[in-house]
Amino acid sequence: MNNIDIVSNMIAVSNKVVVFTGAGMSTESGIQDFRSQNGLWQQWNPEELTFDKFMSSRSSREHYWGFSRAIWPTMAHAKPNPGHYAITDLNKLGKLDVVITQNVDGLHQAAGLPEEKVVELHGTLKWVSCLTCGKKTPREEIERLMDETGEKAPECSCGGFLKQATISFGQSLPEIAINIAEEKSATCDLFIVAGSSLVVYPAAQMPLIAKQNGAKLVIINIGDTPHDGYADVIINDKTGPTLAQVVEKVKIKFKK
Ligand SMILES: [Zn+2]
């Protein structure tokens, strides 16, 4: 039996599957990886984009928005890939508890997964939030406003700074999302890592929490991860085609 069959069998006998997605999922939709050799941090100095810098001066906020707007067109036009749709199908089969994602591109929702099934550890760039009053505005609206007015560092009507609703270096992760992710990791019976090299904490902690609480662990990733030693199955391949094949097999089992 090959690994595709093994993983589809594991899903078939599980009731609460958690899928944990990272940059590998997004790159297969044409979104640049931040950390890879040709990644965005080769072009933009992350030290100029920290949360402290953002808060410190208007020129830093203009720089932040320059970066944010440079990557926005790619993000706005990115489409879900077969991996995203496979996870949505897993939900339709009643197997998926949640997706925990490090990605900020909103592609799980774009693939038809309900909002409440997606735990976004690093926020989302589909929204802009006010750091003072917390008001959220769709990103497209802010883009339009900046185009029309030439504003380079937009502010809220309350006077607060507007920032993409993603987590910057030095900014604390959303506590609610972390708590949900930890709880879901501890209570699932199968945890599937898809396209993450598991190096960013506390996100990378989640598969270990799952494993410590008795779940089976599957890692689908092109490269090695520090947690490979804990995995029941490792598939070193692209996430989209792999997940699509796995979920097709699960569907066949449920048609019988
Ligand atoms: Zn405000």
Side-chain angles (χ1 to χ4, degrees), residues 54 64-65 68-69 72 123-131 133-146 153-156 160-166:
F54 183 90
Y64 169 90
W65 275 104
S68 179
R69 299 198 83 192
W72 171 248
T124 171
L125 45 65
K126 296 286 178 178
W127 293 86
V128 170
S129 50
C130 169
L131 294 179
C133 75
K135 185 186 167 199
K136 290 199 165 187
T137 313
R139 176 61 184 264
E140 284 88 354
E141 247 177 70
I142 300 297
E143 286 291 321
R144 242 190 334 266
L145 180 104
M146 291 175 84
E155 294 180 1
C156 180
F161 306 144
L162 291 182
K163 187 179 171 295
Q164 189 177 275
T166 51

Side-chain angles (χ1 to χ4, degrees), residues 22 24 26 31-32 44 71 74 87 92 109 113 132 176 227 241:
S26 297
I31 293 169
Q32 231 178 332
W44 293 83
I71 61 171
T74 310
I87 295 170
K92 287 179 188 156
Q109 293 93 325
L113 201 59
T132 302
I176 297 172
H227 300 335

